[in-house]
Amino acid sequence: TDKVHQTPTAILTGPEDKVNLTCSHTDSRYDMILWYQQSAQNTALKLIGYVWNTSPTVEDSFKGRFDVSGDAAANKMAYLHFPKVTEAEDSAVYFCAASEAQCFTIPSLLYKNPL
């Protein structure tokens, strides 16, 4: 069964249009929703940002052009907002995904070893 849903499934906009996409999931274990972009110019998936519980993060290369919000755990929903479509690369396929957050730290990266 499908556990992750994205709406609208397709959208056609013009320059300067505002766009809002919604992602929802049905798995109570999931506490993170991620948003990806796949453009015609570069078919690699690029992480736009994510919502972990209620904490949004937008990747540096997308800051100022995109916004993410929502509550991935309790409400099981997150949103991707384009204040306005401004770049040719914004014409793309957008994907959302949901998962359990996998957080870890590597102690050697946290402390500077004295020489």
Side-chain angles (χ1 to χ4, degrees):
T1 62
D2 291 340
K3 293 185 177 184
V4 180
H5 301 277
Q6 183 176 325
T7 56
T9 55
I11 190 167
L12 181 62
T13 66
E16 305 294 316
D17 284 354
K18 185 186 303 186
V19 176
N20 294 301
L21 302 178
T22 301
C23 186
S24 61
H25 68 82
T26 58
D27 194 315
S28 61
R29 296 170 300 157
Y30 294 169
D31 56 3
M32 179 176 276
I33 295 177
L34 307 98
W35 287 101
Y36 296 92
Q37 179 192 65
Q38 185 179 40
S39 66
Q41 296 89 346
N42 182 354
T43 58
L45 288 179
K46 296 183 199 172
L47 178 64
I48 298 167
Y50 57 90
V51 177
W52 175 51
N53 291 306
T54 58
S55 299
T57 299
V58 176
E59 296 296 300
D60 289 342
S61 60
F62 290 100
K63 283 185 178 170
R65 291 176 37 224
F66 294 86
D67 186 32
V68 296
S69 64
D71 184 340
N75 292 337
K76 301 180 176 73
M77 296 188 86
Y79 309 95
L80 176 65
H81 312 280
F82 306 50
K84 60 183 175 179
V85 177
T86 57
E87 298 187 20
E89 207 169 282
D90 292 345
S91 180
V93 178
Y94 294 86
F95 297 93
C96 71
S99 73
E100 291 180 75
Q102 302 293 317
C103 299
F104 62 91
T105 59
I106 301 170
S108 62
L109 297 178
L110 297 177
Y111 302 102
K112 186 175 181 180
N113 293 329
L115 297 177

